[in-house]
Amino acid sequence: MAQLFAAGEGAEVEIRLGDKTPAEGLPAPRPPLRLSGRVTALSDGRYRVAGPIYHGQELSMGRAAAFDTGAARIVIARPPRR
């Protein structure tokens, strides 16, 4: 996440994504995916719900980045620390 924010919107970068942290009850992590693409948006992750459930409530998914690989658009978020 820090790499994407440091690069900034519009930057072309290569990142390693996923499977970095072991989780109890799941298989051992594999090497992260290496992805190349463009940072298309950066956000503090706050949003207001527009749907019929929780309408109007403000939520936060933590810092977030939109990343476009050409084959897929990925939202990468880091939940806020408690």
Side-chain angles (χ1 to χ4, degrees), residues 2-69:
Q3 179 184 357
L4 298 174
F5 272 80
E9 285 187 32
E12 297 280 338
V13 296
E14 181 177 293
I15 61 172
R16 294 174 36 165
L17 182 65
D19 272 343
K20 296 177 189 167
T21 306
E24 187 176 326
L26 295 177
R30 296 187 215 182
L33 295 174
R34 288 185 180 268
L35 300 173
S36 295
R38 186 169 59 90
V39 180
T40 58
L42 297 170
S43 169
D44 66 4
R46 292 184 198 168
Y47 63 98
R48 189 166 303 279
V49 178
I53 299 174
Y54 303 112
H55 181 79
Q57 185 173 358
E58 186 175 295
L59 302 174
S60 176
M61 65 177 133
R63 284 179 20 148
F67 189 69
D68 189 344
T69 68

Side-chain angles (χ1 to χ4, degrees), residues 62-78:
R63 284 179 20 148
F67 189 69
D68 189 344
T69 68
R73 293 181 194 153
I74 304 166
V75 174
I76 303 165
R78 181 175 191 137

